[in-house]
Amino acid sequence: RQVIIVKEAQDLSRTIEKLVSYAENPQPTTLLVVCYKYKKLDKRKKLYKALNKEGVLFEGKKLYDNQISPWIIRTLKSQGYGITQKASHMLAEFLGSDLGKVSNELNKLKLILPKGTEITPEHIEENIGISKDFNNFELQNAIGEKNKLKAHRIINYFSQNPKDNPIVLTSALLFSFFSKLLQVHSLSNINDKSVATALGISPYFSKDYITAARNYSMRDSSKAISLLRVMDLKSKGVDSNAIPSGDLLKEFLVKIMD
């Protein structure tokens, strides 16, 4: 079949209805793909109704942050690769929800590693440059476990590499972590399944939140969120004189873990 792709169709919003006559009588030898990005095609228009009747309408919604790690696992599995839970979480935490960026990094790994490989944190560290021991995921776990030594080691590493470990990203992750702890404390029955369902995470990570909930009460979690708010403001220069990000994180650790 002849394939015709209309890219950036959202920029044709004033004239796109001209496709109605074709959409109502499409050529059987042609596959027409209309890529409407960042916006939604108006469901009230004739074009939407014609496409829905004669073709296929697919809406690719942006994934939430907690859906990125499972997406990485599914994508690699479909391509003949495996990946550990920790490695997938490292990629999700470091690369965010931009699937284009995530896909590019996965393609790099597939060029280097043979099909059938289970991708590990070591592979991520060697080929993408994300430290398997000093990252926000490990900091979150160290704080959750109240492992002061490990947490301070990670903060020291962040202090020496501030560009690769921006405090804005760290504070956002920790805010999400303690917000989820409040959700855990609100559960009537706390177990792997109930925590995973409530937080929308893999049961593999439930134990981390259950452990943290034992170490931090609901009041402690609320205090942590309040401290993170203050830290975020200070990191942006509000009521502070350019305090180094490492010092702000150390102050937070002392106040929340002691």
Side-chain angles (χ1 to χ4, degrees), residues 143-156:
I143 291 174
E145 296 168 356
K146 279 206 168 182
N147 187 332
K148 297 179 184 179
L149 179 60
K150 181 179 178 181
H152 279 284
R153 281 178 175 169
I154 295 172
I155 294 302
N156 286 333

Side-chain angles (χ1 to χ4, degrees), residues 183-195 209-210 213:
Q183 288 182 261
V184 172
H185 281 296
S186 70
L187 298 175
S188 57
N189 186 20
I190 299 176
N191 55 53
D192 287 351
K193 186 177 180 180
S194 64
V195 170
Y209 286 94
I210 293 173

Side-chain angles (χ1 to χ4, degrees), residues 26-79:
Q27 289 293 321
T29 57
T30 299
L31 180 61
L32 175 65
V33 182
V34 182
C35 299
Y36 208 89
K37 297 169 65 178
Y38 311 121
K39 300 178 182 179
K40 293 183 180 180
L41 196 60
D42 193 336
K43 294 182 180 180
R44 298 168 298 179
K45 299 291 186 180
K46 287 184 178 180
L47 179 61
Y48 181 93
K49 295 174 181 177
L51 290 173
N52 196 33
K53 181 180 179 181
E54 300 294 338
V56 175
L57 279 172
F58 172 76
E59 182 181 353
K61 295 181 180 179
K62 185 175 181 180
L63 297 182
Y64 294 111
D65 289 343
N66 62 1
Q67 296 175 311
I68 303 300
S69 181
W71 181 87
I72 291 171
I73 294 171
R74 289 197 308 272
T75 299
L76 286 172
K77 184 178 180 181
S78 69
Q79 297 166 350

Side-chain angles (χ1 to χ4, degrees), residues 103-119:
S103 184
N104 285 339
E105 296 301 332
L106 294 182
N107 287 336
K108 289 179 187 177
L109 291 170
K110 288 186 288 182
L111 286 173
I112 298 165
L113 304 171
K115 189 170 279 192
T117 300
E118 181 176 56
I119 298 169

Side-chain angles (χ1 to χ4, degrees), residues 136-202:
N136 283 318
F137 176 63
E138 290 298 325
L139 175 62
Q140 174 183 295
N141 283 345
I143 291 174
E145 296 168 356
K146 279 206 168 182
N147 187 332
K148 297 179 184 179
L149 179 60
K150 181 179 178 181
H152 279 284
R153 281 178 175 169
I154 295 172
I155 294 302
N156 286 333
Y157 177 86
F158 284 5
S159 301
Q160 295 165 14
N161 303 273
K163 289 185 178 180
D164 294 330
N165 304 278
I167 191 171
V168 173
L169 186 62
T170 301
S171 60
L173 183 97
L174 292 177
F175 174 82
S176 175
F177 175 67
F178 281 104
S179 296
K180 288 176 179 176
L181 280 192
L182 289 178
Q183 288 182 261
V184 172
H185 281 296
S186 70
L187 298 175
S188 57
N189 186 20
I190 299 176
N191 55 53
D192 287 351
K193 186 177 180 180
S194 64
V195 170
T197 301
L199 302 185
I201 60 174
S202 165

